[in-house]
Amino acid sequence: MPKVNFLDSKTCTLVGLVTNVALAIFKLLAGIFGFSYAMIADGIHSVSDCLATSTVYVGLRIGERPADESHPYGHGNAETIAAFLVALIILATGAFVGISAVRLIVHQHFETPATIALAAAAASIVIKEGMFRYTLKVGERNNSPAVIANAWDHRSDAYSSVAALVGILGARLAFWYLDPIAGLAVSVLIVKMSIALLRPNIGILMDERPDTAILAEITATARKVSGVRAIDNLRAHRRGSTFTIDIEVAVDGGLTVEQGHQVASEVKSRLLGEVEHVQDVMVHVNPYRPS
């Protein structure tokens, strides 16, 4: 039987999906039978988590497909699209929960939550914070925007459970209005989290320049190659969890074509071997012109 690698993105996502399904069922039942709108709202959030995690898994499966004639750079951006969709799902969930909470406050539909709702909120905080830390570690290790988005989805669920816990405790202490207000607070936290996730993934889809630290590492690695006199131009495109690099290096004008080709091959080999998450490198050779 093959060994399960829990640091693999797909394995991590499947663990998250199973956890979300179990928590969604538990929290919805606890909210319904425990008379807590805050817990029902939290349960609805967990249902959206199931959809979000499923989206991430599909994105990871598509993203790992090799390059083909129609997709010469591979399918890596499927991960970015999945991360973007996760953010939209979180945003829609936050809006729905918030509107429902406002309706309850307007109609003053207050009830005293039962103990099971309190227990569900406490359990959810512990489980979802653990899932956040685990998923974020895997996402950062694999440089996966989809898995990182899924991690923050877990964290948003933990936050919403904290708000639910406060609301349920308040309602049980006769501050009944705190339960739907907690549901409203949950929606605000969810919406805020979704906006924070949308921004970086839009940047990737729009071919935004990677972090300066990554570009500096690429430049430093290329300059270590014997024969490279200068870096004339550098562009790095992120596709999902990987980078494609387009770099122009300057070499002595007296080198032969064969010698220039050897320098370019060494630059490509170094970048692929020493810079993390580089999928492909295109090296252009220019004659060096001192400024």
Side-chain angles (χ1 to χ4, degrees), residues 183-194:
L184 186 59
V186 166
S187 75
V188 172
L189 289 169
I190 295 171
V191 170
K192 183 178 179 181
M193 190 74 67
S194 70

Side-chain angles (χ1 to χ4, degrees), residues 8-20 53 57 60 131 150:
D8 174 70
S9 293
K10 294 195 298 296
T11 302
C12 171
T13 304
L14 286 174
V15 170
L17 180 59
V18 171
T19 303
N20 284 336
T53 305
Y57 186 75
L60 290 172
M131 285 303 304
N150 201 32

Side-chain angles (χ1 to χ4, degrees), residues 27 38-39 42 45 118 120-126 128-129 154-170 178 182-183 185-186 189:
K27 289 196 285 190
M39 183 46 56
D42 202 14
H45 188 189
L118 194 67
S124 178
I125 292 169
V126 174
K128 295 301 284 188
E129 180 63 20
H154 289 312
R155 168 57 69 83
S156 72
D157 205 4
Y159 283 166
S160 70
S161 294
V162 170
L165 181 66
V166 172
I168 293 166
L169 279 171
L178 283 181
V186 166
L189 289 169

